[in-house]
mmCIF file of all heavy atoms in Angstrom:
data_model
loop_
_atom_site.group_PDB
_atom_site.id
_atom_site.type_symbol
_atom_site.label_atom_id
_atom_site.label_comp_id
_atom_site.label_asym_id
_atom_site.label_seq_id
_atom_site.Cartn_x
_atom_site.Cartn_y
_atom_site.Cartn_z
ATOM 1 N N VAL A 1 0.864 -1.210 -0.001
ATOM 2 C CA VAL A 1 -0.008 0.045 -0.007
ATOM 3 C C VAL A 1 0.858 1.234 -0.007
ATOM 4 O O VAL A 1 0.620 2.185 -0.715
ATOM 5 C CB VAL A 1 -0.929 -0.009 1.237
ATOM 6 C CG1 VAL A 1 -1.619 1.360 1.405
ATOM 7 C CG2 VAL A 1 -2.028 -1.058 1.060
ATOM 8 N N SER A 2 1.905 1.264 0.821
ATOM 9 C CA SER A 2 2.847 2.461 0.842
ATOM 10 C C SER A 2 3.498 2.659 -0.493
ATOM 11 O O SER A 2 3.555 3.763 -0.964
ATOM 12 C CB SER A 2 3.926 2.170 1.857
ATOM 13 O OG SER A 2 3.413 2.259 3.197
ATOM 14 N N ALA A 3 3.994 1.571 -1.171
ATOM 15 C CA ALA A 3 4.635 1.689 -2.463
ATOM 16 C C ALA A 3 3.685 2.182 -3.462
ATOM 17 O O ALA A 3 4.031 3.129 -4.286
ATOM 18 C CB ALA A 3 5.209 0.413 -2.825
ATOM 19 N N LEU A 4 2.523 1.589 -3.560
ATOM 20 C CA LEU A 4 1.502 2.051 -4.550
ATOM 21 C C LEU A 4 1.020 3.455 -4.358
ATOM 22 O O LEU A 4 0.923 4.259 -5.286
ATOM 23 C CB LEU A 4 0.310 1.091 -4.579
ATOM 24 C CG LEU A 4 -0.696 1.307 -5.631
ATOM 25 C CD1 LEU A 4 -0.176 1.200 -7.003
ATOM 26 C CD2 LEU A 4 -1.934 0.351 -5.414
ATOM 27 N N SER A 5 0.754 3.812 -3.111
ATOM 28 C CA SER A 5 0.223 5.187 -2.849
ATOM 29 C C SER A 5 1.394 6.243 -3.046
ATOM 30 O O SER A 5 1.127 7.298 -3.523
ATOM 31 C CB SER A 5 -0.402 5.282 -1.513
ATOM 32 O OG SER A 5 0.455 4.882 -0.451
ATOM 33 N N THR A 6 2.618 5.890 -2.744
ATOM 34 C CA THR A 6 3.717 6.805 -3.021
ATOM 35 C C THR A 6 3.884 7.046 -4.457
ATOM 36 O O THR A 6 4.034 8.200 -4.868
ATOM 37 C CB THR A 6 5.016 6.300 -2.388
ATOM 38 O OG1 THR A 6 4.836 6.074 -0.960
ATOM 39 C CG2 THR A 6 6.133 7.200 -2.634
ATOM 40 N N TRP A 7 3.872 5.980 -5.218
ATOM 41 C CA TRP A 7 3.981 6.137 -6.706
ATOM 42 C C TRP A 7 2.881 6.952 -7.241
ATOM 43 O O TRP A 7 3.034 7.845 -8.097
ATOM 44 C CB TRP A 7 4.035 4.758 -7.357
ATOM 45 C CG TRP A 7 4.029 4.823 -8.813
ATOM 46 C CD1 TRP A 7 5.134 5.023 -9.641
ATOM 47 C CD2 TRP A 7 2.931 4.703 -9.710
ATOM 48 N NE1 TRP A 7 4.713 5.013 -10.943
ATOM 49 C CE2 TRP A 7 3.372 4.829 -11.017
ATOM 50 C CE3 TRP A 7 1.553 4.435 -9.495
ATOM 51 C CZ2 TRP A 7 2.545 4.721 -12.119
ATOM 52 C CZ3 TRP A 7 0.756 4.333 -10.552
ATOM 53 C CH2 TRP A 7 1.163 4.516 -11.849
ATOM 54 N N SER A 8 1.596 6.686 -6.786
ATOM 55 C CA SER A 8 0.457 7.499 -7.229
ATOM 56 C C SER A 8 0.608 8.919 -6.862
ATOM 57 O O SER A 8 0.284 9.779 -7.715
ATOM 58 C CB SER A 8 -0.816 6.929 -6.632
ATOM 59 O OG SER A 8 -1.021 5.601 -6.981
ATOM 60 N N TRP A 9 1.042 9.196 -5.667
ATOM 61 C CA TRP A 9 1.214 10.614 -5.298
ATOM 62 C C TRP A 9 2.260 11.306 -6.140
ATOM 63 O O TRP A 9 2.094 12.486 -6.473
ATOM 64 C CB TRP A 9 1.547 10.721 -3.785
ATOM 65 C CG TRP A 9 1.851 12.170 -3.439
ATOM 66 C CD1 TRP A 9 3.088 12.725 -3.164
ATOM 67 C CD2 TRP A 9 0.974 13.256 -3.465
ATOM 68 N NE1 TRP A 9 2.973 14.060 -2.999
ATOM 69 C CE2 TRP A 9 1.638 14.397 -3.165
ATOM 70 C CE3 TRP A 9 -0.449 13.337 -3.660
ATOM 71 C CZ2 TRP A 9 1.026 15.653 -3.088
ATOM 72 C CZ3 TRP A 9 -1.070 14.592 -3.603
ATOM 73 C CH2 TRP A 9 -0.286 15.709 -3.292
ATOM 74 N N ILE A 10 3.321 10.655 -6.423
ATOM 75 C CA ILE A 10 4.390 11.264 -7.272
ATOM 76 C C ILE A 10 3.828 11.608 -8.630
ATOM 77 O O ILE A 10 4.107 12.696 -9.172
ATOM 78 C CB ILE A 10 5.640 10.385 -7.343
ATOM 79 C CG1 ILE A 10 6.352 10.332 -5.884
ATOM 80 C CG2 ILE A 10 6.595 10.894 -8.415
ATOM 81 C CD1 ILE A 10 7.463 9.351 -5.891
ATOM 82 N N VAL A 11 3.059 10.782 -9.197
ATOM 83 C CA VAL A 11 2.440 11.037 -10.469
ATOM 84 C C VAL A 11 1.489 12.245 -10.421
ATOM 85 O O VAL A 11 1.557 13.154 -11.259
ATOM 86 C CB VAL A 11 1.703 9.764 -10.992
ATOM 87 C CG1 VAL A 11 0.861 10.103 -12.239
ATOM 88 C CG2 VAL A 11 2.655 8.633 -11.364
ATOM 89 N N LEU A 12 0.669 12.259 -9.389
ATOM 90 C CA LEU A 12 -0.329 13.344 -9.209
ATOM 91 C C LEU A 12 0.454 14.630 -8.883
ATOM 92 O O LEU A 12 0.065 15.725 -9.349
ATOM 93 C CB LEU A 12 -1.314 13.068 -8.129
ATOM 94 C CG LEU A 12 -2.315 12.047 -8.421
ATOM 95 C CD1 LEU A 12 -3.226 11.688 -7.258
ATOM 96 C CD2 LEU A 12 -3.234 12.502 -9.653
ATOM 97 N N ALA A 13 1.520 14.608 -8.065
ATOM 98 C CA ALA A 13 2.231 15.797 -7.674
ATOM 99 C C ALA A 13 2.898 16.405 -8.887
ATOM 100 O O ALA A 13 2.947 17.663 -8.990
ATOM 101 C CB ALA A 13 3.248 15.467 -6.573
ATOM 102 N N ARG A 14 3.379 15.616 -9.755
ATOM 103 C CA ARG A 14 4.008 16.157 -11.024
ATOM 104 C C ARG A 14 2.930 16.797 -11.901
ATOM 105 O O ARG A 14 3.181 17.833 -12.527
ATOM 106 C CB ARG A 14 4.811 15.056 -11.758
ATOM 107 C CG ARG A 14 6.057 14.762 -11.080
ATOM 108 C CD ARG A 14 6.935 13.820 -11.848
ATOM 109 N NE ARG A 14 8.140 13.592 -11.185
ATOM 110 C CZ ARG A 14 8.848 12.421 -11.249
ATOM 111 N NH1 ARG A 14 8.348 11.450 -11.874
ATOM 112 N NH2 ARG A 14 9.982 12.346 -10.565
ATOM 113 N N ARG A 15 1.778 16.156 -11.994
ATOM 114 C CA ARG A 15 0.656 16.691 -12.778
ATOM 115 C C ARG A 15 0.163 17.992 -12.225
ATOM 116 O O ARG A 15 -0.082 18.956 -13.000
ATOM 117 C CB ARG A 15 -0.440 15.674 -12.913
ATOM 118 C CG ARG A 15 -1.585 16.148 -13.838
ATOM 119 C CD ARG A 15 -2.639 15.136 -13.975
ATOM 120 N NE ARG A 15 -2.072 13.847 -14.560
ATOM 121 C CZ ARG A 15 -2.572 12.661 -14.313
ATOM 122 N NH1 ARG A 15 -3.685 12.490 -13.646
ATOM 123 N NH2 ARG A 15 -2.004 11.616 -14.842
ATOM 124 N N TRP A 16 0.025 18.035 -10.913
ATOM 125 C CA TRP A 16 -0.528 19.303 -10.247
ATOM 126 C C TRP A 16 0.582 20.262 -9.873
ATOM 127 O O TRP A 16 0.329 21.290 -9.324
ATOM 128 C CB TRP A 16 -1.228 18.857 -8.981
ATOM 129 C CG TRP A 16 -2.423 18.032 -9.192
ATOM 130 C CD1 TRP A 16 -3.192 17.936 -10.360
ATOM 131 C CD2 TRP A 16 -3.092 17.172 -8.266
ATOM 132 N NE1 TRP A 16 -4.239 17.076 -10.182
ATOM 133 C CE2 TRP A 16 -4.227 16.568 -8.919
ATOM 134 C CE3 TRP A 16 -2.830 16.870 -6.939
ATOM 135 C CZ2 TRP A 16 -5.021 15.746 -8.254
ATOM 136 C CZ3 TRP A 16 -3.667 15.978 -6.266
ATOM 137 C CH2 TRP A 16 -4.766 15.448 -6.950
ATOM 138 N N ARG A 17 1.890 19.947 -10.238
ATOM 139 C CA ARG A 17 2.957 20.773 -10.003
ATOM 140 C C ARG A 17 3.161 21.105 -8.472
ATOM 141 O O ARG A 17 3.491 22.206 -8.110
ATOM 142 C CB ARG A 17 2.965 22.053 -10.835
ATOM 143 C CG ARG A 17 2.870 21.664 -12.366
ATOM 144 C CD ARG A 17 3.087 22.854 -13.265
ATOM 145 N NE ARG A 17 4.332 23.587 -13.163
ATOM 146 C CZ ARG A 17 5.464 23.152 -13.572
ATOM 147 N NH1 ARG A 17 5.667 21.974 -14.090
ATOM 148 N NH2 ARG A 17 6.560 23.916 -13.441
ATOM 149 N N VAL A 18 3.004 20.139 -7.643
ATOM 150 C CA VAL A 18 3.247 20.285 -6.241
ATOM 151 C C VAL A 18 4.666 19.754 -6.033
ATOM 152 O O VAL A 18 4.929 18.568 -5.736
ATOM 153 C CB VAL A 18 2.231 19.377 -5.374
ATOM 154 C CG1 VAL A 18 2.559 19.481 -3.942
ATOM 155 C CG2 VAL A 18 0.849 19.714 -5.673
ATOM 156 N N GLN A 19 5.622 20.612 -6.260
ATOM 157 C CA GLN A 19 7.023 20.240 -6.221
ATOM 158 C C GLN A 19 7.886 21.401 -5.887
ATOM 159 O O GLN A 19 7.522 22.558 -6.015
ATOM 160 C CB GLN A 19 7.398 19.700 -7.651
ATOM 161 C CG GLN A 19 7.182 20.646 -8.733
ATOM 162 C CD GLN A 19 7.196 19.963 -10.096
ATOM 163 O OE1 GLN A 19 7.348 18.780 -10.190
ATOM 164 N NE2 GLN A 19 7.129 20.687 -11.172
ATOM 165 N N ASP A 20 9.102 21.054 -5.423
ATOM 166 C CA ASP A 20 10.122 22.012 -5.213
ATOM 167 C C ASP A 20 10.928 22.228 -6.496
ATOM 168 O O ASP A 20 11.411 21.270 -7.115
ATOM 169 C CB ASP A 20 11.043 21.545 -4.106
ATOM 170 C CG ASP A 20 10.448 21.573 -2.751
ATOM 171 O OD1 ASP A 20 9.573 22.477 -2.519
ATOM 172 O OD2 ASP A 20 10.859 20.840 -1.909
ATOM 173 N N GLU A 21 11.039 23.485 -6.897
ATOM 174 C CA GLU A 21 11.779 23.744 -8.080
ATOM 175 C C GLU A 21 13.292 23.977 -7.752
ATOM 176 O O GLU A 21 13.551 24.491 -6.605
ATOM 177 C CB GLU A 21 11.280 25.088 -8.704
ATOM 178 C CG GLU A 21 9.826 24.977 -9.188
ATOM 179 C CD GLU A 21 9.584 23.996 -10.336
ATOM 180 O OE1 GLU A 21 10.513 23.788 -11.120
ATOM 181 O OE2 GLU A 21 8.526 23.422 -10.427
ATOM 182 N N PRO A 22 14.204 23.638 -8.623
ATOM 183 C CA PRO A 22 15.591 23.885 -8.316
ATOM 184 C C PRO A 22 15.859 25.328 -8.288
ATOM 185 O O PRO A 22 15.242 26.128 -8.909
ATOM 186 C CB PRO A 22 16.276 23.159 -9.516
ATOM 187 C CG PRO A 22 15.258 22.886 -10.522
ATOM 188 C CD PRO A 22 13.932 22.942 -9.894
ATOM 189 N N GLY A 23 16.853 25.706 -7.482
ATOM 190 C CA GLY A 23 17.276 27.078 -7.356
ATOM 191 C C GLY A 23 18.625 27.239 -6.748
ATOM 192 O O GLY A 23 19.299 26.192 -6.542
ATOM 193 N N ARG A 24 18.982 28.502 -6.502
ATOM 194 C CA ARG A 24 20.342 28.752 -6.013
ATOM 195 C C ARG A 24 20.548 28.117 -4.677
ATOM 196 O O ARG A 24 21.706 27.697 -4.373
ATOM 197 C CB ARG A 24 20.498 30.232 -5.955
ATOM 198 C CG ARG A 24 21.861 30.698 -5.742
ATOM 199 C CD ARG A 24 21.926 32.203 -5.772
ATOM 200 N NE ARG A 24 21.041 32.753 -4.759
ATOM 201 C CZ ARG A 24 21.083 33.908 -4.322
ATOM 202 N NH1 ARG A 24 21.859 34.751 -4.825
ATOM 203 N NH2 ARG A 24 20.199 34.325 -3.350
ATOM 204 N N ARG A 25 19.490 28.103 -3.793
ATOM 205 C CA ARG A 25 19.693 27.611 -2.440
ATOM 206 C C ARG A 25 19.158 26.188 -2.267
ATOM 207 O O ARG A 25 18.953 25.706 -1.121
ATOM 208 C CB ARG A 25 18.981 28.534 -1.466
ATOM 209 C CG ARG A 25 19.626 29.908 -1.516
ATOM 210 C CD ARG A 25 18.992 30.784 -0.491
ATOM 211 N NE ARG A 25 19.321 30.310 0.794
ATOM 212 C CZ ARG A 25 18.677 30.654 1.889
ATOM 213 N NH1 ARG A 25 17.660 31.554 1.871
ATOM 214 N NH2 ARG A 25 19.064 30.211 3.103
ATOM 215 N N ARG A 26 18.914 25.474 -3.345
ATOM 216 C CA ARG A 26 18.335 24.107 -3.324
ATOM 217 C C ARG A 26 19.490 23.041 -3.619
ATOM 218 O O ARG A 26 20.317 23.399 -4.408
ATOM 219 C CB ARG A 26 17.215 23.936 -4.308
ATOM 220 C CG ARG A 26 16.115 24.968 -4.156
ATOM 221 C CD ARG A 26 15.287 24.750 -2.868
ATOM 222 N NE ARG A 26 14.370 25.794 -2.629
ATOM 223 C CZ ARG A 26 13.050 25.622 -2.673
ATOM 224 N NH1 ARG A 26 12.553 24.417 -2.841
ATOM 225 N NH2 ARG A 26 12.322 26.624 -2.487
ATOM 226 N N LEU A 27 19.326 21.880 -3.099
ATOM 227 C CA LEU A 27 20.316 20.847 -3.432
ATOM 228 C C LEU A 27 19.978 20.102 -4.650
ATOM 229 O O LEU A 27 20.864 19.428 -5.275
ATOM 230 C CB LEU A 27 20.416 19.886 -2.184
ATOM 231 C CG LEU A 27 20.976 20.521 -0.900
ATOM 232 C CD1 LEU A 27 20.951 19.440 0.187
ATOM 233 C CD2 LEU A 27 22.428 20.983 -1.123
ATOM 234 N N HIS A 28 18.694 20.001 -5.030
ATOM 235 C CA HIS A 28 18.313 19.200 -6.207
ATOM 236 C C HIS A 28 18.508 19.952 -7.503
ATOM 237 O O HIS A 28 18.449 21.142 -7.460
ATOM 238 C CB HIS A 28 16.941 18.610 -6.068
ATOM 239 C CG HIS A 28 15.887 19.663 -5.702
ATOM 240 N ND1 HIS A 28 15.670 20.000 -4.434
ATOM 241 C CD2 HIS A 28 15.085 20.334 -6.456
ATOM 242 C CE1 HIS A 28 14.677 20.937 -4.390
ATOM 243 N NE2 HIS A 28 14.344 21.154 -5.661
ATOM 244 N N GLU A 29 18.672 19.261 -8.592
ATOM 245 C CA GLU A 29 18.891 19.851 -9.893
ATOM 246 C C GLU A 29 17.707 19.799 -10.815
ATOM 247 O O GLU A 29 17.686 20.381 -11.867
ATOM 248 C CB GLU A 29 20.115 19.236 -10.577
ATOM 249 C CG GLU A 29 21.379 19.561 -9.808
ATOM 250 C CD GLU A 29 22.613 18.959 -10.475
ATOM 251 O OE1 GLU A 29 22.440 18.357 -11.517
ATOM 252 O OE2 GLU A 29 23.680 19.046 -9.901
ATOM 253 N N GLU A 30 16.692 19.034 -10.409
ATOM 254 C CA GLU A 30 15.441 18.907 -11.172
ATOM 255 C C GLU A 30 14.256 19.029 -10.283
ATOM 256 O O GLU A 30 14.371 18.807 -9.069
ATOM 257 C CB GLU A 30 15.430 17.613 -11.973
ATOM 258 C CG GLU A 30 15.554 16.379 -11.156
ATOM 259 C CD GLU A 30 15.668 15.166 -11.992
ATOM 260 O OE1 GLU A 30 16.468 15.044 -12.904
ATOM 261 O OE2 GLU A 30 14.818 14.251 -11.813
#
């Protein structure tokens, strides 16, 4: 259930743009 719901949330978060954008003070690049 955790794996399936995590995968589903990631798909929805990308679609709804609920994400941290890369920036000067961020560690991620995408």
Side-chain angles (χ1 to χ4, degrees):
V1 167
S2 290
L4 182 62
S5 56
T6 299
W7 176 80
S8 299
W9 173 252
I10 289 172
V11 170
L12 288 173
R14 286 188 177 147
R15 183 176 302 154
W16 295 339
R17 302 193 56 76
V18 180
Q19 56 195 7
D20 287 331
E21 298 293 332
R24 192 176 58 164
R25 298 183 67 197
R26 307 287 173 118
L27 294 175
H28 51 273
E29 296 180 3
E30 58 186 55

